[in-house]
Amino acid sequence: MLCIKTAACAIFVLARVGWAVESDQCAAASTTSDVHLSLAVKDGQTVFHEGEIIPLLLSFTSSAPKRYWADDRNYDRSGRLDIEAYCTEPETPDPLTSYFSKGMGFIGGGLGGTRELDSTPFIAHGELNEWRRPLPGHYRIFVVSYRVWRPPDAKDETPYGRIGEVVRSDGIDVEVQPVDAGWQREQLASALEVLDRKPPRDAEVHAARVIRFLNTDASARAAARLLGNVNEQEPDQWEFMFALYGASHPEVAIDAMRKELAAPGHAITGLFLNTLVGLQVNNDAAWDPPDEPTTTFWERRRAHMQELMKAALEDLATALPLKQGPVRAVTLNAMLQAGVEDTALMKAIRPALIGSWSDLPTETQQNLIAYRWELIAGPEMLPI
């Protein structure tokens, strides 16, 4: 996720197939009149608290059967499905600018199918908060979609086998009310209670997104506590990461994460360590990529990130005796993988990790053997 190994991987641009990226996507007009995109708020709600999830329904129809199709993907491994632009009038900020525009993102992708468009609506779901953070006030919301395409006509020249279309929705109005501290506390408490019950996946992710979009100091501290888990593949982990990257007060998020390093019951994962380093870099304007970053800049930035990672690992090593069982094993694994360029650390951590092998989750064991064997290879692994 966080590129610190080579200057070349410092920043990537997420690519879309079959259409040109415009400098201002929200200014784009529809390229076809045969496809209509209707936008609505789920359940018809029009008034929201600041920080409340604003769920949207995107309804695609076509008056030209067998002419247009739509991709029905609903996720991307980069963390965002970059297939629509969510727009507001007046404009509102992107809560994750510090992540996606400062060299923290990476090329994603994901599985999905296609749907032929006709008079029966094809419904896609979205949440405005993923893309925009509206302050109190009145807003006009619309969406510009890039998921619609058609087969090329004889006169069309394209290497992709299809022609991408731009479809602009109609607009809807919503009102965002000023901060209600009592409501914020209730929402955070309710989401934490849901997570404590180990709910089904959908409920778990929804509760995590409630915490993420609240964007309070208390929710940032909660995200710091919840980022890092004995099961590193929990579906809510990226939500907590994005809650920290999107925090309005990043210094609060950084301080909370540093305190969590020493928490006895907190399993520190690679995602946790990378997020801590990324937040520190993003919060220092000296390391913002210039308009035309050079290889030298990326090399200096990478070296700085390695220094920050080394400092975090030193703090974690001090706290390691407080962590036991699976918490200790998962933390050792994160330290080993994050400290590959520190020979002394590797020599100390490797035997400790092998000694805690039985406390590692099975999936983590398998990943180490299959993909990171060079970190653990040796005679000590023979009994295992």
Side-chain angles (χ1 to χ4, degrees):
M1 165 150 326
L2 186 58
C3 291
I4 62 174
K5 297 196 181 302
T6 65
C9 76
I11 188 167
F12 292 98
V13 177
L14 296 177
R16 295 189 183 96
V17 176
W19 59 276
V21 178
E22 300 194 30
S23 58
D24 183 359
Q25 295 174 25
C26 291
S30 293
T31 57
T32 175
S33 60
D34 295 333
V35 177
H36 180 70
L37 171 54
S38 178
L39 185 66
V41 178
K42 186 177 181 180
D43 299 327
Q45 183 177 346
T46 58
V47 180
F48 296 86
H49 293 279
E50 183 177 355
E52 184 176 0
I53 293 177
I54 302 177
L56 300 175
L57 300 176
L58 288 66
S59 176
F60 296 83
T61 57
S62 173
S63 59
K66 302 186 183 301
R67 173 65 169 165
Y68 297 95
W69 279 257
D71 293 325
D72 64 358
R73 287 177 55 206
N74 59 9
Y75 78 99
D76 189 273
R77 284 188 291 268
S78 69
R80 262 187 174 176
L81 182 59
D82 203 16
I83 205 168
E84 267 103 22
Y86 289 79
C87 312
T88 62
E89 296 175 348
E91 292 185 3
T92 51
D94 180 344
L96 289 179
T97 295
S98 69
Y99 180 82
F100 285 103
S101 71
K102 292 188 178 183
M104 300 299 166
F106 67 101
I107 293 175
L111 300 175
T114 60
R115 285 279 301 273
E116 181 183 335
L117 296 181
D118 53 28
S119 59
T120 301
F122 160 57
I123 305 296
H125 298 263
E127 292 175 341
L128 180 66
N129 316 64
E130 177 69 46
W131 300 92
R132 302 292 174 183
R133 178 176 287 156
L135 297 173
H138 181 87
Y139 294 93
R140 185 78 169 167
I141 303 171
F142 61 97
V143 170
V144 177
S145 178
Y146 299 91
R147 71 169 71 226
V148 175
W149 57 276
R150 62 174 174 81
D153 295 327
K155 67 179 186 305
D156 294 323
E157 294 183 7
T158 173
Y160 305 114
R162 65 185 200 173
I163 301 295
E165 300 284 4
V166 178
V167 183
R168 184 186 178 101
S169 79
D170 48 11
I172 57 174
D173 295 289
V174 300
E175 193 81 23
V176 178
Q177 296 179 331
V179 169
D180 182 334
W183 177 85
Q184 290 175 330
R185 288 192 295 270
E186 290 173 0
Q187 290 293 302
L188 179 57
S190 177
L192 292 173
E193 182 181 349
V194 170
L195 293 173
D196 283 342
R197 296 199 300 264
K198 304 297 182 185
R201 178 188 176 94
D202 288 349
E204 180 180 0
V205 172
H206 177 74
R209 288 175 74 79
V210 168
I211 294 172
R212 170 183 166 187
F213 297 136
L214 277 175
N215 189 38
T216 64
D217 289 352
S219 65
R221 294 188 187 98
R225 293 195 304 272
L226 293 164
L227 179 63
N229 195 297
V230 170
N231 182 357
E232 300 178 67
Q233 305 302 317
E234 287 291 332
D236 57 12
Q237 289 295 287
W238 272 44
E239 301 298 340
F240 300 134
M241 178 193 75
F242 283 146
L244 294 161
Y245 271 110
S248 291
H249 301 125
E251 65 281 357
V252 172
I254 293 169
D255 180 66
M257 294 191 76
R258 284 175 172 158
K259 290 178 179 176
E260 289 301 318
L261 292 174
H266 195 152
I268 303 300
T269 61
L271 183 61
F272 186 102
L273 290 170
N274 284 336
T275 302
L276 176 56
V277 170
L279 284 175
Q280 292 176 89
V281 173
N282 281 0
N283 202 36
D284 186 347
W287 298 105
D288 288 354
D291 292 337
E292 297 182 7
T294 63
T295 300
T296 301
F297 168 80
W298 290 120
E299 289 174 346
R300 290 177 51 246
R301 192 172 187 257
R302 170 182 174 266
H304 177 60
M305 294 171 73
Q306 288 177 328
E307 292 171 358
L308 293 173
M309 181 64 78
K310 182 178 180 180
L313 290 173
E314 289 173 352
D315 290 343
L316 194 51
T318 300
L320 196 57
L322 301 174
K323 301 178 187 291
Q324 302 297 323
V327 169
R328 175 183 171 85
V330 169
T331 301
L332 284 167
N333 177 53
M335 295 177 70
L336 188 70
Q337 300 204 41
V340 291
E341 298 189 28
D342 187 331
T343 304
L345 177 68
M346 294 283 284
K347 290 181 67 174
I349 295 299
R350 180 180 170 278
L353 176 63
I354 294 174
S356 298
W357 187 262
S358 62
D359 286 326
L360 284 172
T362 301
E363 187 172 2
T364 303
Q365 295 175 351
Q366 293 171 342
N367 286 337
L368 280 166
I369 292 172
Y371 306 114
R372 302 309 304 273
W373 177 249
E374 74 280 1
L375 298 180
I376 55 175
E380 303 92 333
M381 288 296 293
L382 285 174
I384 296 171

